[in-house]
């Protein structure tokens, strides 16, 4: 059972404290998984490239990209949990607006600026995605931690 289902079930059962607890549990689980995966990816970054090529240039590029990709995965795990919690509360419209605005107003422009204007290349594209994910995490966090859970059950 995922977090959004658990939260919506608890709210439907009129258990606001259990819904809040479910949110906290899935956030801790996502953060733990994200940090462990981040550490693994960063620690193996210098050998991971050999899975794709024996060319030194490819291996070096993969090694430079791995911390960025690992960071993206960590932030995405938090975003997924928080987004699911917003969905579990029945706020799909708010969720859709935040998703669209974070990518179209932040992620894509930052990606374009970094990759093509600042000539950062592939790293710039991923950093733009990370910016969009950060906007989502901040927005969803504000919503979830300001939620009146007792009011939600009504």
């Amino acid at each position: 059972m995922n977090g959004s289902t658990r939260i919506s079930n608890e709210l439907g059962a009129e258990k606001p404290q259990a819904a809040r607890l479910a949110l906290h549990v899935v956030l801790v689980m996502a953060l733990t998984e994200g940090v462990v995966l981040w550490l693994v990816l960063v620690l193996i970054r210098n050998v991971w490239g050999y899975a794709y090529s024996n060319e030194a240039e490819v291996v070096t590029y993969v090694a430079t990209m791995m911390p960025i990709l690992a960071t993206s995965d960590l932030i995405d795990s938090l975003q997924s949990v928080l987004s699911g919690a917003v969905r579990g509360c029945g706020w799909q419209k708010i969720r859709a607006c935040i998703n669209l605005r974070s990518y179209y107003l932040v992620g894509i422009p930052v990606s374009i600026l970094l990759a093509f204007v600042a000539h950062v290349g592939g790293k710039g594209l991923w950093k733009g995605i990370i910016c969009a994910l950060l906007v989502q995490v901040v927005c969803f966090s504000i919503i979830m931690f300001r939620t009146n859970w007792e009011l939600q059950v009504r």
Side-chain angles (χ1 to χ4, degrees), residues 78-92:
L78 295 174
Q79 180 274 342
S80 296
V81 166
L82 290 165
S83 177
V86 170
R87 183 178 60 224
C89 289
W91 298 327
Q92 288 84 355

Side-chain angles (χ1 to χ4, degrees), residues 39-114:
L39 281 170
V40 168
L41 291 176
V42 168
L43 291 173
I44 66 166
R45 72 182 179 273
N46 293 319
V47 295
W48 190 256
Y50 290 108
Y52 303 101
S53 174
N54 287 329
E55 298 286 328
E57 185 179 348
V58 172
V59 173
T60 303
Y61 186 72
V62 169
T64 61
M65 288 296 292
M66 288 302 280
I68 296 168
L69 298 174
T71 302
S72 173
D73 184 69
L74 171 63
I75 298 168
D76 186 53
S77 66
L78 295 174
Q79 180 274 342
S80 296
V81 166
L82 290 165
S83 177
V86 170
R87 183 178 60 224
C89 289
W91 298 327
Q92 288 84 355
K93 190 180 225 180
I94 293 170
R95 182 175 166 252
C97 288
I98 290 172
N99 285 342
L100 286 171
R101 289 179 180 148
S102 67
Y103 282 106
Y104 285 107
L105 298 179
V106 177
I108 293 173
V110 170
S111 290
I112 291 170
L113 285 172
L114 290 175

Side-chain angles (χ1 to χ4, degrees), residues 2-12 15-16 18-20 22-23 81-95 140 143-154:
N2 65 28
S4 66
T5 304
R6 182 66 183 212
I7 290 169
S8 64
N9 285 347
E10 297 298 352
L11 291 174
K15 298 178 184 176
R20 182 182 312 183
L23 172 62
V81 166
L82 290 165
S83 177
V86 170
R87 183 178 60 224
C89 289
W91 298 327
Q92 288 84 355
K93 190 180 225 180
I94 293 170
R95 182 175 166 252
F140 291 143
I143 290 169
M144 292 309 341
F145 291 109
R146 293 188 54 133
T147 296
N148 182 339
W149 294 96
E150 287 76 21
L151 185 62
Q152 276 300 107
V153 299
R154 289 186 238 143

